[in-house]
Amino acid sequence: MTAPLTIAIDGPAAAGKGTLAKRLAEHYGLPYLDTGLLYRAIGKLASDAGIDLDDAAAVGPIAERLDTSHLDDGSLRGREAGELASRVAVHPQVRSALTAFQRDFAARPEGAVLDGRDIGTVICPNAQVKIFVTASAEVRARRRTDELAAKGRDVTYERILAEVRERDVRDAGRSVAPLKPAADAHLLDTSELDIETAFRAACEIIDRSAA
Ligand code: CDP
Ligand code: CDP
């Protein structure tokens, strides 16, 4: 049996984590977990229930009761859910309620690919490979704007840039599990890389690290 391969992908909003993580999972034949969906689901459940998202004591129980088998609801992928997610993600109760599920996923015998904000720092500190994907806020906002425009949404680049910056500040500024590269993470700046080039650069990092 080959040794498990756990790949941790972290980085700010719209850096290309999901696109890269999915391709890596396919390439290396590993299961993939988009951990942002967990926070998005909690944000949406709390918001739909009329709960104050800043009230940790009220949001915590929602995270504890989360049904992780039903996360693929299309409405979770949108901008609104991303904003709700980043608000509930500041609460330690929410983060700790999700830790066991994420670690169990990462501990599968073959390994796994997980993407999020704190995979390399908190969830999988012993991952064989950690990649911190970045790109300038302007490039990320441009990509998100193009993605939304292609879906027919009426959005302006300026609005998306403001949202990206706001989420960066909240994710990097929170006291629990802030967004930051693990000390042993490989930085991959995709500002000037297309998806294919970023994928190849990541494979090189992984093949070197896991050899
Ligand atoms: O998961 P995350 O929010 O980090 O980003 P994503 O959803 O994977 O990527 C955001 C957008 O940027 C998507 O439309 C990707 O197709 C695009 N992208 C890109 O243009 N170039 C890259 N190197 C990576 C992603
Ligand atoms: O795709 P995008 O980067 O826009 O968002 P996401 O990965 O789905 O994450 C949504 C929000 O959930 C982030 O802005 C974080 O506040 C939070 N999150 C987190 O705190 N920790 C994770 N491991 C994943 C997401």
Side-chain angles (χ1 to χ4, degrees), residues 90-102:
V90 302
H91 302 310
Q93 293 94 322
V94 167
R95 308 201 70 85
S96 60
L98 300 176
T99 303
F101 172 73
Q102 295 175 86

Side-chain angles (χ1 to χ4, degrees), residues 12-14 17 34-37 39-40 82 85-86 89 95 102 115-119 144 167 171 174:
K17 302 178 299 297
D34 172 356
T35 68
L37 279 183
Y39 295 89
R40 285 168 180 262
S86 83
R95 308 201 70 85
Q102 295 175 86
D115 86 67
R117 300 291 186 289
D118 62 343
I119 308 304
R144 211 41 131 211
R167 208 120 73 79
D171 289 348
R174 68 184 173 219

Side-chain angles (χ1 to χ4, degrees), residues 11-20 22 32 34 40 115 117 133 139-140 143-144 146-147 167 190-191 193-199:
K17 302 178 299 297
T19 307
L20 178 64
K22 243 174 269 157
Y32 163 56
D34 172 356
R40 285 168 180 262
D115 86 67
R117 300 291 186 289
V133 187
V139 167
R140 289 183 283 128
R143 288 175 181 164
R144 211 41 131 211
D146 291 348
E147 189 184 334
R167 208 120 73 79
T190 70
S191 299
L193 306 182
D194 63 17
I195 293 172
E196 185 59 32
T197 316
F199 167 69

Side-chain angles (χ1 to χ4, degrees), residues 7 9 16-32 113 115 194-203 206:
I7 303 173
I9 310 284
K17 302 178 299 297
T19 307
L20 178 64
K22 243 174 269 157
R23 285 216 41 194
L24 291 174
E26 233 167 76
H27 182 76
Y28 291 97
L30 297 170
Y32 163 56
V113 182
D115 86 67
D194 63 17
I195 293 172
E196 185 59 32
T197 316
F199 167 69
R200 274 193 262 113
C203 288
I206 293 164

Side-chain angles (χ1 to χ4, degrees), residues 180-191:
K180 66 164 188 223
D184 53 350
H186 299 265
L187 298 187
L188 181 60
D189 186 336
T190 70
S191 299

